[in-house]
């Protein structure tokens, strides 16, 4: 899918959104490290991230995600699923790791460039839309959609790292290969084309462009963390003309806490 088509579609998605998400992109880990032995962690309700600088320019990262919307939505079995951009029935997540290069770009070490590459594996499940009109007592397993996936990613970041404010732009590129798609006996029962369409998700790897905008505000060791991210499938061949948000969550907004432990952070308190 061309990116400009996705951007043009966003206003319509806000009106007709009816997601069945079996891929929810995890939060982008944009650590903006700038010295050896610096450690940073980001914690939110559904994402947990850590990065550590093993040398003056090389770092490793580990990221975890678990999505469960039960906290935000009630558990009525046949409740409608028309919330903006969000499939309330989605459950699942992933684990991933990566290695990268980082470098401060100015003498005061405030502007930072880094780039990471890595691999992850995960799984998601949700309920097909017809479940909302199924008779009371119907088993959710009859309408369940489930898939597993491999994920490869590359993400450059450009940002500012200061003891009070941090900001970063990270255009992440991910390649996701779905496998082991399964569905309940009644899922897409009256739509064979849609049924075949879901089973074909694993035919080819799906590339995603996932730009993220990250802001952290606080003081020294602890900061409030917020991130807005878009997830744009760059090839709609595998889902044959259906809306871009049929299987993939297109927009994500995350908030949480960021912890930073490094020598430059300690020294910043003495200035």
């Amino acid at each position: 899918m061309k990116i400009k088509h996705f951007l043009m579609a966003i206003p319509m998605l806000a009106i007709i959104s009816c997601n069945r998400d079996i891929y929810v992109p995890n939060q982008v880990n944009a650590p903006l490290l700038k010295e050896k032995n610096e450690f940073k962690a980001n914690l939110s309700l559904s994402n947990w991230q850590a990065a550590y600088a093993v040398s003056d320019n090389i770092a490793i990262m580990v990221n975890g995600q678990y999505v469960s919307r039960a906290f935000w939505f009630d558990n009525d079995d046949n409740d409608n699923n028309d919330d903006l951009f969000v499939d309330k029935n989605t459950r699942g997540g992933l684990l991933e790791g990566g290695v990268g290069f980082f470098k401060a770009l100015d003498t005061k070490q405030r502007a930072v460039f880094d780039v990471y590459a890595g691999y992850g594996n995960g799984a998601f499940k949700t309920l097909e839309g017809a479940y909302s009109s199924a008779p009371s007592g119907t088993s959710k397993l009859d309408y369940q959609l489930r898939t597993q996936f491999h994920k490869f990613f590359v993400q450059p970041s450009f940002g500012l790292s200061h003891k009070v404010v941090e900001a970063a732009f990270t255009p992440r590129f991910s390649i996701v290969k779905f496998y082991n798609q399964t569905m309940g006996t009644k899922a897409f029962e009256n739509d064979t084309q849609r049924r075949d369409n879901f089973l074909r998700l694993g035919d080819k790897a799906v590339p995603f462009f996932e730009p993220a905008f990250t802001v952290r505000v606080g003081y020294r060791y602890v900061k409030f963390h917020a991130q807005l991210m878009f997830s744009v499938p760059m090839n709609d061949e595998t889902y044959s003309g259906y809306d871009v948000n049929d299987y993939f969550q297109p927009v994500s907004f995350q908030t949480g806490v960021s912890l930073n432990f490094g020598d430059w952070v300690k020294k910043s308190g003495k200035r």
Side-chain angles (χ1 to χ4, degrees):
M1 166 170 288
K2 294 182 179 180
I3 295 175
K4 66 177 182 179
H5 291 165
F6 174 83
L7 297 176
M8 291 172 61
I10 287 178
M12 285 301 296
L13 295 179
I15 299 173
I16 63 173
S17 177
C18 186
N19 301 5
R20 304 297 162 194
D21 297 329
I22 47 79
Y23 175 66
V24 177
N26 64 316
Q27 179 178 284
V28 172
N29 188 354
L32 300 179
L33 303 176
K34 49 189 178 183
E35 65 181 13
K36 183 178 179 179
N37 294 326
E38 184 176 357
F39 173 81
K40 183 172 288 184
N42 301 313
L43 309 174
S44 70
L45 289 176
S46 59
N47 287 267
W48 312 273
Q49 304 174 327
Y52 177 73
V54 298
S55 75
D56 291 332
N57 296 109
I58 303 298
I60 56 176
M61 66 166 54
V62 178
N63 307 316
Q65 175 199 38
Y66 181 71
V67 176
S68 178
R69 272 83 187 241
F71 180 80
W72 303 105
F73 297 95
D74 61 49
N75 293 319
D76 291 346
D77 283 349
N78 298 82
D79 195 15
N80 289 329
N81 189 37
D82 57 358
D83 298 278
L84 179 61
F85 293 128
V86 174
D87 176 2
K88 73 181 183 66
N89 294 307
T90 296
R91 304 286 188 275
L94 64 78
L95 289 173
E96 67 181 13
V99 61
F101 170 87
F102 66 89
K103 184 175 179 61
L105 301 178
D106 66 323
T107 55
K108 293 185 177 181
Q109 293 190 320
R110 292 181 178 177
V112 178
F113 167 78
D114 61 39
V115 57
Y116 291 83
Y119 164 79
N121 183 262
F124 284 101
K125 63 182 179 180
T126 187
L127 299 177
E128 196 266 308
Y131 178 75
S132 61
S133 58
S136 179
T138 299
S139 172
K140 290 184 178 181
L141 294 177
D142 290 341
Y143 291 89
Q144 187 178 91
L145 306 177
R146 189 178 188 278
T147 188
Q148 295 174 265
F149 61 90
H150 301 287
K151 174 188 169 186
F152 302 89
F153 68 91
V154 176
Q155 56 173 72
S157 288
F158 303 87
L160 172 70
S161 181
H162 183 266
K163 65 181 179 181
V164 176
V165 177
E166 296 181 24
F169 171 62
T170 310
R172 183 172 70 185
F173 296 88
S174 300
I175 296 178
V176 179
K177 181 65 170 68
F178 296 99
Y179 67 97
N180 284 353
Q181 296 93 254
T182 61
M183 64 176 67
T185 57
K186 295 184 180 297
F188 305 128
E189 188 176 27
N190 299 316
D191 190 342
T192 56
Q193 183 179 6
R194 189 67 178 274
R195 189 179 183 89
D196 293 341
N197 175 263
F198 176 77
L199 293 174
R200 289 184 57 238
L201 277 173
D203 287 356
K204 295 182 180 180
V206 182
F208 289 87
F209 175 54
E210 297 175 327
F213 302 87
T214 306
V215 175
R216 304 183 185 106
V217 179
Y219 185 68
R220 298 179 66 193
Y221 301 107
V222 182
K223 293 182 176 68
F224 168 78
H225 170 98
Q227 183 177 99
L228 174 66
M229 180 177 64
F230 300 92
S231 183
V232 185
M234 301 177 69
N235 177 5
D236 64 355
E237 181 178 354
T238 57
Y239 47 103
S240 304
Y242 289 103
D243 291 336
V244 295
N245 64 329
D246 271 0
Y247 299 124
F248 314 133
Q249 182 171 308
V251 180
S252 175
F253 180 71
Q254 298 281 337
T255 60
V257 175
S258 180
L259 307 175
N260 192 1
F261 301 96
D263 190 54
W264 75 269
V265 181
K266 296 179 183 179
K267 292 178 179 177
S268 68
K270 302 177 181 179
R271 297 171 185 172

